[in-house]
Amino acid sequence: MDIAQFIAKWQRTDLKERSAAQEHFLDLCHLVGHPTPAEADPTGEHFCFERGVAKHGGGEGFADVWKRGHFGWEYKGKHKDLAAAYDQLLRYRDALENPPLLVVCDMDRIIVHTNFTGTVSAVHEISLMRLGEPSSIDVLRAVFHDPEALRPGRTSVAITQEVARRVAEIAEAMRQRGLDPTAVAHFLDRIVFCLFAEDVGLLPDKLFSQVVAKAAGDPARFGKLLGQLFEAMATGGDFGLERIRHFNGSLFNDCTVLPVSADEMTRIAAAADLDWSAVDPSIFGTLFERFLDPAKRSQLGAHFTGREDIQAIVDAVVMQPLRREWDETRQLVDNVLATGKKRLTATTNPARSPVPGNAEPQLGTIPAHLAKIANTADQELGGTAEGFARSPVKPLSPAALRKAMGEAESLIHHFLIRLQAVKVLDPACGSGNFLYVALQELKNLEKTAIVYAMERNLGSFLPMVGPWQLYGIEINPYAFDLAQMTVWIGWLQWIRANGFYVVSDPILKPLSKNFQLKDAILAEEGEPEWPTVDFIIGNPPFLGGNRIRQELGNDYVDTLFRQYADRVPAFADLCCYWFEKARAHIEVGKCRRAGLLATQGIRGGANREVLKRIKETGDIFWAVADQNWILDGANVHVSLVAFDNGAEASRTLDGRMVAKVNPDLTSASDVTTATILPENQGISFQGPSPKAPFDIDAAVAASMLADIGNPNGRPNSDVVRPVVSAVDIGQAPRGKWTIDFSLMPIEEAAQYEKPFEYVKAHVYSIRSTNRRAAYAEKWWQYAEARPGMRAALGKGLSRYIATPRVSKYRHFIWLDASVLANDGTIIFARDDDTFFGVLHSRIHEVWARAQGTQLREKESGCRYTPTSCFETFPMPWPPGQEPTTDVRYMAIAEAARDLVKKRDAWLAGANPGDKKPRTLTRLYNERPTWLDIAHRTLDTAVAAAYGWKPDLTDEEILERLLEENGKAAG
């Protein structure tokens, strides 16, 4: 019995547990080449069904199957509680001699729990439909033959890491001898493929290992033999007495063999002893890239993106519509085999699935490639779909059944042809892990259709989906080569694991038109062309807007900004350009759907504009707003976003069906549509940015303040001021001062002699060479002096409000007018307690978090921006008016004063038991009851000023504020 036959048999079996369990287990024995219990142990001493045990805790029980030193195995009926079965095994594992594996099964799933003493238990789950995957077969074989292979640490991941490490050692040794790193990488790519090919039987009789052994430590002889092998693999032909199949592709177009040392030969021989058939292509490309590319060696030892993370976006973008098409096909086949007709009007359009909240599902038509076949079949078989809906079901005559089977076979054939025409592009493909997962899923769906046809005797179909349907763009030459090898190895593994054989030569087909080594977003002649495909997936490079110029250079960035002007905001994250390219590709009909990753910052600020643009020409139909992700060795938080031209009717956010997905990746009120309110402008500003060391210690400041000999007769206190940053607000005060010449011309600033000479000595060399001319020309001033802020604060205010630009908690404090708040802060040119109280209320914080940009994860904080967070925020008093002596506003002011008074008293105090300094961050981390009460009092007062209940949910607050914004904006 092969895998396809096993799946077909047990997919259609509905027998109860006792009727099916032993036969199911016997089939598994045959599948993995293991004797049955009666064959292996006629006495039942070490391998048997129904092993009697005494349960821990009392009572008698049985393990359905037991093999000493291997497993205890418990069956349950289909869809039964396997957790209960596992608990049952746990209860009597001691009586089963504590086997290393505990297995539970319901015929649809096999779940293997490791039970090795002294290790953390690992779980391997194998579904029936994924049984043919290499990893599933490896686990199942290990259960029967080698449980030790499942000991945590010895997995395909561990094997992949080991083989990658061995290749790294060889690569490093060759580079140290002065060989070109790119040539080394390409040479080792071919060796890696040879090692894989011999372990899966594509090279006969462990031929590569024979070459290593025959060379007997002679590098020159090894090079000669290896060159001959490469040439044979490139074209097919004889190698000694062995016939070598035609591999071709692009991998062996260059048969150059680099010189190797005796030590490197030893390392290659050691690598050949490993099981290369067990490598996991979803991660080994990334690992090899790190090992082979000197620029990425700093990432060695870092985590890598696992398959399950990639799977989510592949499922949402690629597989969801294809599975719907398969469901349509299967329904048509079932109907025609049962009745000779099809219910065309009762099928669901793949692009028009039911919308949540609709009373009735939307009905459309079947896929275009099936509609003509279906209508023709109904006419040939007598009748129409509409007529069938009113007719009783009658058994088909033999002639009608033959015709129906022929038509059913044609329907499946057309679906398979459709599947074999699907094209998938990753425009930043790296080492190919996204494309590999997409290929595996396409192959699995293809197998589902083939097995379905086999079950119904509808003909035999060969799997024809392959790497030639994948397209990639990559700028890194190391990754470019690896991406192609990754998908080829993945394809060959699938063929081997599922019982199909490679029958056509060349084994590797050229992919030179599919994979392109180039910049995906910028070309000399303008914007690079992407191929026409069905789906776009991938994780483009993440590079924050403030680092783009630093990393890519002025010329590249200036050209990029010109090319994408009015499409991508300047200083958006680099990944936004891939989003815009994919959107444009969909808009002109060159792609159906796309799904890409971005840092979760794409939900806010300039980045969010690309998602707004996507919704203008199409829509976001699936998203994960915030997910932990390992990328290039860094632990980041990302958003996963899938979009199309608006054809997809269902919407999913964070695994929930929703009515819509907003550009900020929420599903509630779309606060991104809020408009700036004129009455809020000219109040809030980011603090001045120095771009040089203008800050000074208190002792230096004291010396300057004591000097009274300036030629203008003015004190240095005009320009030497206390300075506050976000650190000072949330953490311990630094006690820093700064030299602030505001907007003074150099002639005026120079008359403050000591401060000016200090700036000249410490700042001039840095700022005068700044690539921005404005910064260089006025080197004695803060780079961004914020004249608007200074004008607003100069209107007779004795104090003003400040908050950290980025913080975990949204703190607001009062600052004296003599203090300068720097660019790490946002300031508000107001001095009234009512205004302060509204800002510090929960209502404003909910709005600010929704409009701001979250950093990494929520715990890291949120970025506050004057425009989106404040200028769109509707105050509780009428637009254009100020808070009066109305009792509601007086209550806000009183609650705000009380909060500040108690908070300041706590900060100024100290207990003998305090081990850490008293800071606002510590206070809000601990959030004592008195603080909670003070904030609830303030929140209640602010809510009352709006006329709202104090216990609104966040979504209700956003909805009402958005409504108020609309009213205020007219």
Side-chain angles (χ1 to χ4, degrees):
M1 173 176 286
D2 62 25
I3 294 171
Q5 291 169 332
F6 182 93
I7 293 173
K9 173 180 177 178
W10 290 101
Q11 187 182 19
R12 61 175 183 260
T13 298
D14 289 320
L15 295 173
K16 301 295 184 184
E17 173 195 348
R18 288 301 170 194
S19 304
Q22 291 194 7
E23 184 174 352
H24 182 271
F25 187 85
L26 294 174
D27 284 350
L28 284 175
C29 289
H30 298 316
L31 193 65
V32 298
H34 191 281
T36 65
E39 291 169 343
D41 181 22
T43 65
E45 293 280 335
H46 59 82
F47 187 20
C48 64
F49 290 109
E50 301 294 330
R51 170 72 172 184
V53 297
K55 291 183 184 176
H56 178 69
E60 293 293 318
F62 290 89
D64 288 330
V65 198
W66 170 75
K67 184 181 180 186
R68 177 176 290 141
H70 285 68
F71 56 77
W73 190 302
E74 190 69 20
Y75 276 96
K76 290 292 180 185
K78 281 196 173 184
H79 313 303
K80 296 295 184 181
D81 184 4
L82 290 182
Y86 179 56
D87 287 342
Q88 183 176 335
L89 281 175
L90 287 175
R91 281 194 298 269
Y92 51 72
R93 62 180 169 181
D94 288 342
L96 293 172
E97 302 177 17
N98 206 24
L101 304 175
L102 302 176
V103 186
V104 293
C105 177
D106 65 356
M107 272 72 82
D108 277 339
R109 292 172 300 157
I110 301 171
I111 302 178
V112 181
H113 299 261
T114 64
N115 187 44
F116 293 92
T117 302
T119 67
V120 177
S121 179
V123 179
H124 306 271
E125 181 167 346
I126 306 169
S127 68
L128 179 62
M129 296 312 298
R130 292 186 179 275
L131 183 60
E133 293 181 358
S135 59
S136 298
I137 288 296
D138 287 346
V139 170
L140 195 58
R141 285 174 177 155
V143 169
F144 282 85
H145 296 281
D146 183 20
E148 191 65 26
L150 297 180
R151 181 182 289 275
R154 283 200 61 199
T155 62
S156 62
V157 170
I159 293 171
T160 303
Q161 291 172 315
E162 173 66 8
V163 300
R165 184 183 64 79
R166 294 295 181 90
V167 173
E169 293 172 351
I170 300 167
E172 183 63 21
M174 297 181 77
R175 283 195 296 263
Q176 286 183 357
R177 291 194 292 111
L179 295 175
D180 176 66
T182 303
V184 169
H186 189 58
F187 173 62
L188 292 178
D189 283 344
R190 283 173 284 158
I191 286 186
V192 164
F193 188 84
C194 288
L195 292 168
F196 169 79
E198 76 168 10
D199 280 356
V200 299
L202 291 173
L203 285 177
D205 300 326
K206 303 286 283 185
L207 188 58
F208 184 86
S209 295
Q210 287 189 48
V211 167
V212 176
K214 193 171 183 179
D218 183 344
R221 190 179 186 193
F222 174 72
K224 179 180 178 181
L225 291 173
L226 192 58
Q228 293 171 359
L229 178 59
F230 285 173
E231 290 177 4
M233 294 175 76
T235 59
D238 293 330
F239 178 75
L241 299 178
E242 298 290 350
R243 181 71 177 174
I244 305 300
R245 298 190 62 174
H246 183 191
F247 285 83
N248 196 19
S250 60
L251 194 57
F252 293 97
N253 284 348
D254 176 9
C255 296
T256 302
V257 176
L258 297 183
V260 297
S261 67
D263 175 69
E264 290 156 6
M265 276 195 65
T266 301
R267 295 178 185 273
I268 291 172
D273 288 337
L274 301 171
D275 182 7
W276 287 80
S277 67
V279 297
D280 182 354
S282 69
I283 63 170
F284 87 84
T286 300
L287 290 175
F288 284 1
E289 183 185 358
R290 291 175 185 171
F291 284 130
L292 297 177
D293 186 351
K296 294 198 172 187
R297 290 186 61 78
S298 62
Q299 299 164 15
L300 297 180
H303 289 80
F304 40 80
T305 302
R307 173 170 180 155
E308 63 278 4
D309 295 323
I310 301 169
Q311 190 83 47
I313 206 162
V314 171
D315 281 347
V317 176
V318 180
M319 300 312 300
Q320 183 189 68
L322 295 177
R323 290 187 183 117
R324 283 197 301 235
E325 290 185 28
W326 167 240
D327 288 342
E328 294 285 354
T329 302
R330 184 170 46 78
Q331 180 181 342
L332 291 172
V333 170
D334 287 345
N335 286 341
V336 77
L337 291 178
T339 68
K341 304 180 180 69
K342 308 171 189 66
R343 301 185 187 184
L344 299 190
T345 57
T347 57
T348 306
N349 188 324
R352 300 288 179 190
S353 55
V355 179
N358 283 6
E360 296 180 0
Q362 297 178 346
L363 301 180
T365 59
I366 62 172
H369 73 283
L370 298 176
K372 182 177 180 181
I373 305 169
N375 286 320
T376 302
D378 279 332
Q379 294 167 7
E380 290 179 354
L381 295 169
T384 65
E386 290 79 0
F388 167 74
R390 299 188 297 270
S391 304
V393 177
K394 299 177 182 178
L396 296 179
S397 67
L401 180 59
R402 285 193 298 273
K403 185 177 284 285
M405 291 185 69
E407 182 53 36
E409 182 177 346
S410 178
L411 287 167
I412 293 176
H413 175 70
H414 278 79
F415 173 77
L416 291 172
I417 292 296
R418 158 81 180 112
L419 202 60
Q420 292 155 14
V422 167
K423 296 179 180 178
V424 182
L425 166 68
D426 185 341
C429 66
S431 48
N433 50 1
F434 269 76
L435 292 174
Y436 162 79
V437 172
L439 177 62
Q440 296 294 299
E441 291 304 301
L442 290 172
K443 297 287 299 173
N444 289 338
L445 181 57
E446 181 184 44
K447 186 176 81 169
T448 296
I450 291 172
V451 170
Y452 175 88
M454 290 171 56
E455 291 173 337
R456 288 154 182 78
N457 296 317
L458 297 177
S460 298
F461 300 95
L462 290 174
M464 301 298 291
V465 169
W468 41 89
Q469 297 172 232
L470 307 178
Y471 293 76
I473 301 174
E474 178 53 44
I475 198 169
N476 185 318
Y478 298 95
F480 175 74
D481 282 342
L482 283 168
Q484 298 171 69
M485 189 169 69
T486 294
V487 297
W488 277 121
I489 288 180
W491 178 70
L492 291 168
Q493 279 186 334
W494 192 97
I495 293 292
R496 174 177 178 259
N498 287 276
F500 297 98
Y501 298 94
V502 180
V503 294
S504 62
D505 284 344
I507 293 172
L508 310 181
K509 296 174 176 60
L511 296 178
S512 56
K513 293 183 179 179
N514 296 46
F515 284 77
Q516 302 174 51
L517 181 63
K518 68 179 185 181
D519 190 321
I521 58 172
L522 199 61
E524 289 185 5
E525 65 279 7
E527 203 171 314
E529 184 66 24
W530 288 6
T532 300
V533 294
D534 296 281
F535 308 108
I536 293 173
I537 55 175
N539 56 331
F542 303 163
L543 188 61
N546 60 343
R547 293 182 55 215
I548 289 181
R549 192 174 293 274
Q550 172 187 340
E551 295 292 332
L552 302 179
N554 290 335
D555 292 343
Y556 185 94
V557 172
D558 291 341
T559 304
L560 188 69
F561 286 178
R562 285 196 304 271
Q563 185 68 46
Y564 290 87
D566 303 324
R567 295 170 60 192
V568 178
F571 301 107
D573 193 293
L574 186 63
C575 70
C576 292
Y577 294 89
W578 275 261
F579 276 80
E580 167 56 22
K581 282 279 291 179
R583 182 209 62 80
H585 220 50
I586 291 171
E587 185 181 24
V588 298
K590 293 185 176 181
C591 178
R592 288 175 57 191
R593 295 152 71 102
L596 299 171
L597 281 87
T599 59
Q600 56 77 32
I602 199 168
R603 299 180 290 164
N607 297 331
R608 186 162 60 202
E609 297 303 311
V610 300
L611 298 188
K612 288 183 179 179
R613 187 170 171 83
I614 283 171
K615 288 184 69 69
E616 290 170 1
T617 60
D619 211 348
I620 299 169
F621 63 83
W622 178 92
V624 176
D626 185 357
Q627 177 168 307
N628 194 27
W629 186 267
I630 303 296
L631 182 72
D632 290 343
N635 189 342
V636 299
H637 277 242
V638 300
S639 296
L640 289 68
V641 186
F643 49 97
D644 67 351
N645 64 358
E648 175 64 67
S650 66
R651 302 286 179 269
T652 303
L653 176 64
D654 295 331
R656 299 179 294 110
M657 296 293 289
V658 295
K660 61 179 178 178
V661 179
N662 299 322
D664 60 352
L665 303 188
T666 66
S667 60
S669 298
D670 187 1
V671 298
T672 67
T673 63
T675 57
I676 289 177
L677 304 176
E679 60 270 20
N680 284 16
Q681 293 182 289
I683 296 175
S684 180
F685 307 89
Q686 182 178 338
S689 175
K691 306 293 185 185
F694 284 86
D695 288 359
I696 55 179
D697 293 334
V700 177
S703 173
M704 292 180 181
L705 293 171
D707 184 65
I708 56 174
N710 289 326
N712 59 6
R714 297 291 303 168
N716 284 331
S717 58
D718 288 352
V719 297
V720 178
R721 311 173 58 184
V723 66
V724 165
S725 69
V727 172
D728 296 296
I729 296 174
Q731 302 175 33
R734 299 172 303 150
K736 290 286 187 179
W737 292 62
T738 196
I739 300 172
D740 175 27
F741 291 115
S742 185
L743 305 175
M744 293 180 187
I746 193 169
E747 295 82 5
E748 182 180 351
Q751 295 188 56
Y752 295 93
E753 184 177 341
K754 279 192 175 181
F756 186 85
E757 294 304 322
Y758 180 93
V759 170
K760 184 177 180 180
H762 294 85
V763 172
Y764 176 75
S765 62
I766 298 173
R767 283 282 300 281
S768 63
T769 57
N770 193 287
R771 59 175 172 257
R772 296 188 64 171
Y775 291 178
E777 290 171 3
K778 296 187 177 182
W779 55 267
W780 65 94
Q781 297 178 8
Y782 267 44
E784 298 292 345
R786 313 293 185 208
M789 179 205 78
R790 296 176 187 276
L793 291 177
K795 296 177 180 178
L797 298 180
S798 62
R799 65 178 183 174
Y800 64 93
I801 304 167
T803 188
R805 188 157 58 98
V806 176
S807 65
K808 178 179 179 180
Y809 302 110
R810 188 47 48 204
H811 304 131
F812 293 87
I813 67 166
W814 288 111
L815 289 179
D816 188 83
S818 64
V819 177
L820 180 71
N822 69 16
D823 62 332
T825 68
I826 302 296
I827 73 101
F828 301 83
R830 295 289 295 238
D831 62 356
D832 55 302
D833 292 303
T834 303
F835 193 93
F836 182 98
V838 174
L839 288 183
H840 219 325
S841 69
R842 172 174 169 253
I843 288 174
H844 178 248
E845 182 169 3
V846 167
W847 182 263
R849 286 193 177 277
Q851 289 282 35
T853 305
Q854 178 185 305
L855 300 183
R856 192 166 151 178
E857 69 284 318
K858 291 181 180 179
E859 291 72 24
S860 293
C862 185
R863 180 178 287 108
Y864 190 103
T865 54
T867 49
S868 59
C869 295
F870 174 71
E871 292 181 0
T872 61
F873 179 72
M875 288 293 182
W877 44 85
Q881 297 184 19
E882 289 294 318
T884 64
T885 55
D886 185 300
V887 65
R888 295 173 300 167
Y889 306 139
M890 292 177 65
I892 296 174
E894 180 58 33
R897 284 191 292 268
D898 183 63
L899 170 64
V900 172
K901 179 181 177 182
K902 290 175 178 175
R903 203 168 62 180
D904 287 349
W906 184 89
L907 290 170
N911 291 324
D914 282 348
K915 296 181 179 179
K916 298 181 293 185
R918 292 193 168 199
T919 66
L920 277 180
T921 299
R922 176 187 165 188
L923 175 60
Y924 279 84
N925 276 334
E926 296 175 358
R927 201 171 182 92
T929 303
W930 65 262
L931 181 65
D932 212 37
I933 292 172
H935 270 285
R936 283 205 305 270
T937 302
L938 176 61
D939 292 341
T940 299
V942 174
Y946 282 98
W948 302 344
K949 297 184 300 181
D951 58 349
L952 296 177
T953 65
D954 288 0
E955 288 194 2
E956 289 171 332
I957 289 173
L958 292 175
E959 181 180 352
R960 296 187 184 205
L961 286 174
L962 187 60
E963 183 179 352
E964 292 297 320
N965 173 274
K967 291 178 181 178

